[in-house]
Amino acid sequence: SCEALDSIDMSGAPRVVLHQAGRHFLRFITSTFGQQIFRICVAESDRFPELGQKFYNSGPAVMRAEMAAYFEQAEGRGELRITDHIMAADQFSELCKADVWPRLIFGMTKTVSPAEVDRVVDNAVETFMARYGV
């Protein structure tokens, strides 16, 4: 999922970068592969605690650090006003999981449509910018 971030112009305007990063993130975690990885990590966390740690370090931690670094740069350019860049990165990823993630992990739905991804990410970006936009 993190190779996806390489295709994003991290010098871009916040709305553009957030839309792209949010879509990459939500498409990955709601993909069949993303779901399988999540379920394996949760199911095996007692027997293999290092499994979840390895996955976290290879994906979520990388995205978190990249987004925090982007927020710092955007703040330097006067585009965002954020005091805790890591917290903001965590908040954005949580906003991108609204509605669809709980329905997937509790088995209420099997798939997430591109329209649903767009709806959730568009709202996540608006909410984020309402809090941190300049």
Side-chain angles (χ1 to χ4, degrees):
S1 70
C2 289
E3 302 80 58
L5 289 178
D6 295 339
S7 66
I8 297 172
D9 176 11
M10 294 305 249
S11 64
R15 278 180 196 280
V16 174
V17 171
L18 289 169
H19 275 285
Q20 291 177 331
R23 279 181 174 76
H24 283 305
F25 171 70
L26 191 53
R27 280 189 202 124
F28 176 74
I29 67 165
T30 61
S31 69
T32 302
F33 178 71
Q35 286 288 291
Q36 287 168 341
I37 294 288
F38 174 77
R39 290 198 170 95
I40 290 166
C41 288
V42 171
E44 299 296 345
S45 62
D46 283 343
R47 289 194 308 159
F48 304 105
E50 69 282 359
L51 190 68
Q53 192 65 52
K54 280 197 172 76
F55 173 71
Y56 181 78
N57 290 341
S58 71
V62 175
M63 171 149 179
R64 183 186 201 218
E66 291 278 321
M67 293 307 295
Y70 170 74
F71 293 151
E72 200 170 345
Q73 293 164 20
E75 191 185 24
R77 294 191 298 266
E79 297 169 332
L80 295 173
R81 192 178 298 114
I82 300 174
T83 50
D84 186 336
H85 302 108
I86 290 286
M87 176 59 78
D90 290 341
Q91 288 171 331
F92 183 66
S93 66
E94 289 302 313
L95 288 170
C96 288
K97 290 159 84 172
D99 179 40
V100 294
W101 180 249
R103 287 192 294 116
L104 267 178
I105 63 169
F106 293 116
M108 295 155 61
T109 187
K110 291 275 179 261
T111 58
V112 177
S113 71
E116 288 178 296
V117 168
D118 288 347
R119 179 181 144 261
V120 173
V121 173
D122 290 350
N123 278 283
V125 172
E126 290 310 309
T127 300
F128 190 88
M129 291 303 292
R131 169 66 178 86
Y132 294 116
V134 172

